């Protein structure tokens, strides 16, 4: 047992499921809820209690973690009918680890405070592989004392855990992260495309550039999957599109010129229109391949 908190978890998707399993591994008493109930089977088999609603999760927990998709989804599970706010205990903490709009985080935090509860925004980076390993990077907004109290729980899921600032600033940090992720992925894909069109051995290129100044998480993790033609999602195109919409909203509010982000966002729209929303973001390469009439692959770079 790592701490005295009783933990609740709402949202057992690609990220939430392995994160909840790591909380169980760390010894926390855990109550889980998922809209699609079949996804509660694994945590239940490992000792978690299963609740019928986010409200029931909150009634049983001193720390409630939320890991759903988008701003309206967090509003629904926290503020909606049978939502977390209906069951929240005095002095309990809601940690929203979804990536959503900073303004929505602040709104929800204000309503929870009226109930005597606290809120942290704690979005993550590192993909489903880091969620499984418990090595997520976690960027936290909220009161420093609430952060300190939550730290042992967060340490069950991540290794690089930074208190960024007041409520909403964790989400701002995540926007920064997603600007960099999208721009880097776009460059990785264009570089690989150039190599494929020129007919170079892309496995050798990969080996060479990962050891030099062009290396990146995107190249190592997604470039390698592109070369293996593996498009399963760690992070889906549809969720990346959601994040790029949030980036666009922020850039409009601040009147910030962000030309690379604008192009990347349009490209993710294109992928979603092509029906690739459920695939991993490495499918970015597929849009380029179609325009360039070349397939990017390890060993055998085949022309379309
Ligand atoms: P996902 O696999 O699509 O899972 C989404 C989860 O949210 C599911 O459990 C889903 O329930 C639940 N959900 C969505 N809308 C809901 C609603 N209105 N009411 C109740 N439950 C709802 O997504 P994910 O990849 O785990 O991502 C979760 C969050 O983490 C997102 O904000 C994403 O941007 C962020 N994130 C993801 C990654 C990544 O690599 N995947 C990395 C960093 C951050 P059902 O099972 O019923 O659909």
């Amino acid at each position: 047992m790592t701490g005295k908190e009783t933990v609740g978890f709402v949202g057992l998707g690609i990220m939430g499921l392995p994160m909840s399993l790591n909380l169980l591994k760390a010894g926390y008493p855990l109550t889980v809820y998922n809209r699609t109930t079949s996804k509660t089977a694994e945590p239940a088999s490992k000792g978690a209690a299963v609740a019928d609603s986010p409200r029931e999760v909150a009634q049983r927990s001193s720390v409630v973690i939320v890991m759903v998709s988008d701003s309206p989804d967090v509003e629904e599970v926290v503020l909606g009918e049978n939502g977390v706010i209906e069951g929240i205990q005095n002095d309990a903490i809601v940690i929203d680890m979804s990536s959503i709009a900073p303004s929505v985080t602040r709104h929800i935090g204000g309503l929870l405070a009226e109930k005597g509860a606290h809120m942290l925004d704690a979005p993550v980076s590192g993909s489903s592989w880091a969620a499984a390993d418990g090595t997520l990077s976690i960027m936290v907004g909220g009161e420093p004392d609430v952060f300190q109290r939550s730290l042992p729980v967060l340490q069950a899921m991540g290794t690089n855990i930074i208190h960024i600032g007041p409520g909403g600033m964790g989400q701002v940090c995540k926007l920064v992260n997603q600007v960099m992720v999208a721009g880097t992925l776009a460059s990785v894909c264009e570089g690989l495309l150039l190599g494929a069109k020129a007919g170079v051995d892309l496995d050798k290129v990969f080996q060479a550039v990962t050891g030099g100044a062009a290396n990146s998480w995107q190249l190592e993790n997604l470039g390698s999957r592109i070369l293996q033609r593996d498009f399963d999602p760690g992070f889906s195109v549809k969720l990346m599109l959601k994040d790029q919409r949030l980036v666009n909203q922020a850039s409009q509010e601040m009147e910030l010129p962000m030309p690379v982000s604008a192009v990347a966002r349009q490209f993710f729209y294109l992928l979603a229109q092509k029906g690739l929303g459920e695939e991993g973001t490495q499918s970015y390469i597929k849009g380029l391949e179609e325009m360039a009439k070349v397939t990017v692959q390890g060993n055998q770079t085949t022309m379309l």
Side-chain angles (χ1 to χ4, degrees), residues 23-108:
L23 287 162
L24 283 171
K25 244 186 250 166
Y28 284 102
L30 188 71
T31 303
V32 297
Y33 167 82
N34 196 65
R35 182 177 58 184
T36 306
T37 49
S38 56
K39 292 187 194 166
T40 59
E42 193 176 355
S45 74
K46 293 181 174 159
V50 178
D52 287 333
S53 64
R55 175 172 180 263
E56 191 189 338
V57 170
Q59 285 168 334
R60 300 171 61 115
S61 311
S62 59
V63 172
V64 179
I65 296 171
V66 175
M67 191 54 163
V68 295
S69 307
D70 200 352
S71 306
D73 305 312
V74 177
E75 288 179 313
E76 190 178 332
V77 300
V78 179
L79 305 179
E81 199 184 338
N82 279 321
V84 168
I85 201 162
E86 289 184 9
I88 198 76
Q89 299 176 29
N90 188 47
D91 207 32
I93 303 173
V94 175
I95 308 178
D96 178 29
M97 305 188 77
S98 330
S99 310
I100 66 167
S103 57
V104 173
T105 289
R106 292 182 184 121
H107 173 66
I108 295 173

Side-chain angles (χ1 to χ4, degrees), residues 185-197 200 202 205 285 288:
L185 174 64
S187 298
V188 165
C189 289
E190 286 189 14
L192 291 175
L193 187 81
L194 185 151
K197 194 75 175 179
V200 70
L202 286 176
V205 169
I285 197 71
L288 292 174

